[in-house]
Amino acid sequence: MWKSIRDRNVGRWLAAGASAVFLAVTVIAATAAPSFAAGTYSTTASVNVRTGPGTGYASIGIAPSGAQFTLQCQWQGGTNINGNATWDDVTFANGLSGAITDYYTTTPSWNSYAPGTGPCGSTQVVVHSLGGVDMQQACDTQYPGRGLEAVATNANSAYSWQCVGPGTSLGIDVTAECATQYGNGAVAAVTNPASAWSWYCHWEIGRTLTYNSGDIGQCVAWAINEFHQYDGMYPNTIDPADNGNAMYLATNAAYNGWAVSSTPRVNSIAVFQPGANGAGAAGHAAWVISVSAPYITVSEMNFTYGPGKTDTRTLIPASSVRYVLAP
């Protein structure tokens, strides 16, 4: 016998049950994830801001002499610059974050940690939850008009959900329900296979790279840097049609398995085709920091002030703009 209407609300409850989940999937890169900030300092010369502690890492921008930054943590044993092998993980006032040599800074460290500063740890790839799964809605949508109830037949198994009625017990396509609730590109996952209440939805995770594939000081490098800062991943956006132009970024991201949408969303890379919202002949890419329809606000590089310079801009996006969604 299937469960009562009270259990219908249990199936609904799951929609909120995982709404605050932040799931650390795996450790993939030696970049910083400290729980402290050591202090505010400044550069003493123009410096490259890189993706990691050494000159072998890609540059994502240039900070001028005298630029103030917040020191997050430090690496020892990076590329030796004039006898100093300390590198700093920093965030500048304009939002640019990355690694710089400690040699050209006002920190008191020299092959050592500044007071109150600790070592940079390993960044975890963090998959951000969109929210839980409404199992009852899944039953109503996937088996319309049949009046089936969402039932967890085993509270100790995430995979025990069924749509149940007299003489009927049918499975639930949980990823299909994620797409219904949050949009195409949303997929299902569990935080604990031994709990029926651990389902949640997140954006698809595609193929990754171990480095920022954008050109130094350009819009793509900035957008990918912000993507990486958000979830610890560098999306592969260079195959199959890469010639360095931003206009191909969304198509390539979709080819490599990333969720791409025509709907603006916070924490996504906005990809502009040539001529759209002022984009040049190569197109443009920017990081979406807020959405208030019909407007979006983006953080971008090499649009208003030239290579290596960032700005924020609020605009009504052209209908051709596509968004690569960070999971």
Side-chain angles (χ1 to χ4, degrees):
M1 181 175 183
W2 71 96
K3 293 195 177 182
S4 68
I5 192 67
R6 181 165 175 253
D7 293 304
R8 195 178 176 92
N9 292 326
V10 172
R12 294 267 184 223
W13 175 88
L14 192 61
S19 61
V21 171
F22 293 89
L23 177 64
V25 178
T26 184
V27 176
I28 63 167
T31 51
S35 58
F36 50 80
T40 301
Y41 302 95
S42 60
T43 57
T44 58
S46 177
V47 295
N48 281 300
V49 183
R50 300 184 179 276
T51 58
T55 56
Y57 289 86
S59 175
I60 54 176
I62 298 174
S65 178
Q68 286 196 329
F69 61 83
T70 299
L71 178 62
Q72 304 293 344
C73 60
Q74 293 178 300
W75 291 276
Q76 305 300 331
T79 301
N80 188 309
I81 306 296
N82 297 325
N84 188 353
T86 299
W87 283 68
D88 304 335
D89 184 65
V90 303
T91 299
F92 289 95
N94 66 359
L96 179 62
S97 297
I100 63 173
T101 172
D102 185 68
Y103 181 81
Y104 294 113
T105 73
T106 60
T107 72
S109 49
W110 182 279
N111 293 316
S112 61
Y113 296 105
T117 311
C120 296
S122 295
T123 294
Q124 291 181 323
V125 171
V126 178
V127 178
H128 299 82
S129 171
L130 297 170
V133 185
D134 188 332
M135 294 297 188
Q136 185 56 55
Q137 178 175 290
C139 290
D140 295 341
T141 301
Q142 294 172 25
Y143 307 103
R146 300 182 64 172
L148 302 181
E149 304 286 347
V151 176
T153 59
N154 179 358
N156 295 318
S157 173
Y159 307 103
S160 67
W161 283 94
Q162 297 284 304
C163 298
V164 176
T168 302
S169 183
L170 300 172
I172 296 175
D173 186 336
V174 188
T175 284
E177 178 57 27
C178 285
T180 297
Q181 288 181 228
Y182 302 104
N184 290 334
V187 295
V190 295
T191 57
N192 179 9
S195 171
W197 314 108
S198 63
W199 285 100
Y200 73 103
C201 304
H202 65 80
W203 297 123
E204 286 179 310
I205 300 173
R207 298 182 185 94
T208 60
L209 300 173
T210 58
Y211 61 94
N212 187 328
S213 59
D215 292 332
I216 296 172
Q218 301 298 314
C219 62
V220 172
W222 175 255
I224 291 177
N225 177 69
E226 296 304 282
F227 191 107
H228 180 262
Q229 290 290 323
Y230 178 68
D231 63 17
M233 290 179 269
Y234 290 118
N236 184 343
T237 61
I238 63 175
D239 295 320
D242 178 58
N243 63 0
N245 291 343
M247 61 190 292
Y248 298 114
L249 194 147
T251 301
N252 290 347
Y255 173 84
N256 284 289
W258 297 95
V260 176
S261 175
S262 61
T263 301
R265 298 187 187 276
V266 175
N267 299 315
S268 67
I269 297 176
V271 181
F272 301 85
Q273 295 305 300
N277 296 103
H284 184 60
W287 180 249
V288 180
I289 56 178
S290 71
V291 175
S292 181
Y295 298 96
I296 66 172
T297 299
V298 298
S299 171
E300 59 194 352
M301 180 174 282
N302 192 26
F303 186 84
T304 302
Y305 303 114
K309 302 296 195 322
T310 60
D311 67 84
T312 59
R313 185 167 50 117
T314 299
L315 55 102
I316 299 176
S319 60
S320 61
V321 177
R322 293 295 179 265
Y323 305 88
V324 181
L325 309 179

